[in-house]
């Protein structure tokens, strides 16, 4: 909150965002991986696109994470996931996350201490992976043209009791839509809203919902660690179709808990301290 300006009534994370409604249509393969009812039939969804961080006035031109929250709404209860535009998180424990933030708190002159940040990064190199990924890539041109990642593994269990380790990912049907440096300079600070409205006026925005299947040796206890990408097997779980924008309060009035909003047939990692801390964090 301090880093973002300690603004009242504003989310601590993903403060700037857009709410939308859509549907999920499962593939024939989805039920083979999970017995969750959300994977058995077409399901309504609430979707929230967002910019990373707690600043609700952040420029859309900023090199930071973009995020998307997907809530699959079945009569049995919700199924909720959060995704970001990098395959890794910036801390592997709540303690390290707090220290990451503390290293960036402004000093008496109102500015962060660059040497303090450098010392922390040197001692905690895994906390630099997310920023390195984002900084090495262009700024996305649209919320609908971003590769989003689930940084934590989930276990999908089908009706036969077979468990499959997977990381989940919404992949945009439009492909990765990026801006050149010149295109970025010409954009206003708040262009994502108008871009998404114009895009949706032409038709729904689609994403493939994909399970990246786990393999022996894949880490499940460290959100800063990537899984090897070569020759990785994937299964398309279905198609997400975002149809229209919704008022922000549709998303904002909910207490979103990605730990306890999972149905039977889907389970988060039991040994990832960042995942375990999310229930209390999102409640706050």
């Amino acid at each position: 909150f301090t880093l973002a300006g300690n603004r009242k009534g504003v989310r601590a994370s993903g403060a700037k965002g857009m709410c939308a409604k859509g549907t999920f249509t499962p593939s024939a393969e989805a039920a083979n991986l999970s017995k969750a009812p959300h994977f058995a039939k077409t399901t309504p969804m609430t979707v929230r696109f967002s910019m990373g961080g707690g600043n609700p006035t952040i420029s859309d031109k900023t090199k930071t994470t973009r995020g998307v929250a997907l809530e699959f709404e079945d009569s049995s209860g919700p199924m909720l996931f959060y995704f970001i535009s990098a395959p890794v998180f910036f801390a592997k424990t709540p303690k390290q996350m707090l220290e990451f933030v503390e290293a960036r708190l402004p000093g008496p002159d109102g500015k962060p201490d660059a040497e303090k940040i450098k010392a922390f990064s040197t001692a905690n190199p895994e906390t630099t992976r997310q920023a390195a990924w984002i900084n090495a890539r262009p700024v996305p041109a649209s919320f609908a043209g971003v590769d989003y990642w689930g940084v934590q593994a989930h276990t999908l269990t089908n009706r036969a009791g077979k468990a499959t380790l997977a990381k989940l990912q919404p992949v945009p049907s439009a492909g990765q839509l990026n801006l050149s440096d010149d295109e970025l300079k010409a954009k206003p600070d708040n262009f994502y809203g108008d871009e998404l409205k114009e895009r949706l006026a032409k038709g729904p925005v689609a994403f493939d919902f994909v399970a990246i299947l786990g393999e022996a040796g894949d880490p499940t206890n460290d959100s800063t660690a990537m899984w090897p990408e070569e020759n990785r097997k994937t299964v398309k779980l279905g198609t997400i179709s975002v149809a229209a924008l919704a008022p922000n309060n549709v998303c904002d009035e909910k207490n979103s808990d990605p730990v306890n909003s999972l149905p039977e047939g889907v389970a988060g990692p039991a040994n990832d301290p960042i995942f375990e801390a999310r229930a209390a964090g999102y409640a706050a």
Side-chain angles (χ1 to χ4, degrees), residues 152-154 223 258-260 262 267-270 272-279:
Q152 288 150 345
H154 285 72
S223 293
V259 177
N260 296 305
L262 293 176
D272 186 328
I274 286 290
F275 182 80
E276 295 167 5
R278 294 178 79 175

Side-chain angles (χ1 to χ4, degrees), residues 2 18 31 40 45 47 57 83 90 132 142 148 150 154 205 209 221 229-230 247 261 269 271:
T2 300
M18 303 179 69
M45 298 183 68
V47 178
T57 62
F83 303 92
F90 68 87
S142 169
Y148 298 99
H154 285 72
V205 167
F209 195 45
N221 63 345
E229 293 186 289
E230 291 186 9
S261 297
N271 60 348

Side-chain angles (χ1 to χ4, degrees), residues 60-223:
D60 294 344
K61 300 159 72 169
T62 307
K63 281 210 169 184
T64 186
T65 53
R66 276 74 181 155
V68 64
L70 303 178
E71 183 171 356
F72 300 69
E73 298 161 345
D74 184 74
S75 58
S76 64
M79 179 172 69
L80 177 64
F81 303 105
Y82 284 87
F83 303 92
I84 59 174
S85 58
V88 291
F89 196 54
F90 68 87
K92 61 182 180 180
T93 66
K95 180 177 182 292
Q96 189 180 57
M97 186 176 179
L98 176 61
E99 292 171 347
F100 178 98
V101 174
E102 288 177 336
R104 287 158 174 77
L105 291 175
D109 61 354
K111 300 178 181 179
D113 185 333
E115 289 302 316
K116 188 175 181 180
I117 295 173
K118 181 179 179 181
F120 175 82
S121 298
T122 300
N124 300 269
E126 62 275 9
T127 65
T128 67
R129 294 170 186 164
Q130 185 187 93
W133 176 278
I134 295 296
N135 289 332
R137 287 159 175 78
V139 168
S142 169
F143 278 135
V146 181
D147 272 353
Y148 298 99
W149 305 79
V151 299
Q152 288 150 345
H154 285 72
T155 297
L156 308 178
T157 305
N158 63 18
R159 293 195 177 278
K162 181 182 178 182
T164 302
L165 183 68
K167 283 191 175 182
L168 306 178
Q169 182 180 27
V171 179
S173 297
Q176 296 186 61
L177 306 177
N178 296 321
L179 295 170
S180 68
D181 289 344
D182 288 341
E183 289 172 331
L184 184 64
K185 290 176 183 177
K187 292 288 185 183
D189 284 325
N190 300 293
F191 67 91
Y192 279 149
D194 288 341
E195 195 282 336
L196 192 56
K197 289 176 186 176
E198 292 173 7
R199 187 176 292 272
L200 287 170
K202 300 174 185 177
V205 167
F207 294 84
D208 287 342
F209 195 45
V210 174
I212 304 169
L213 303 187
E215 298 177 358
D218 286 339
T220 60
N221 63 345
D222 183 354
S223 293

Side-chain angles (χ1 to χ4, degrees), residues 248-272:
N248 283 337
N249 68 311
V250 172
C251 291
D252 292 345
E253 65 190 9
K254 297 180 180 181
N255 174 20
S256 300
D257 181 350
V259 177
N260 296 305
S261 297
L262 293 176
E264 189 176 359
V266 182
N271 60 348
D272 186 328

Side-chain angles (χ1 to χ4, degrees), residues 12-25:
S13 181
K16 183 181 183 180
M18 303 179 69
C19 191
K21 285 288 187 176
T23 56
F24 172 72
T25 303

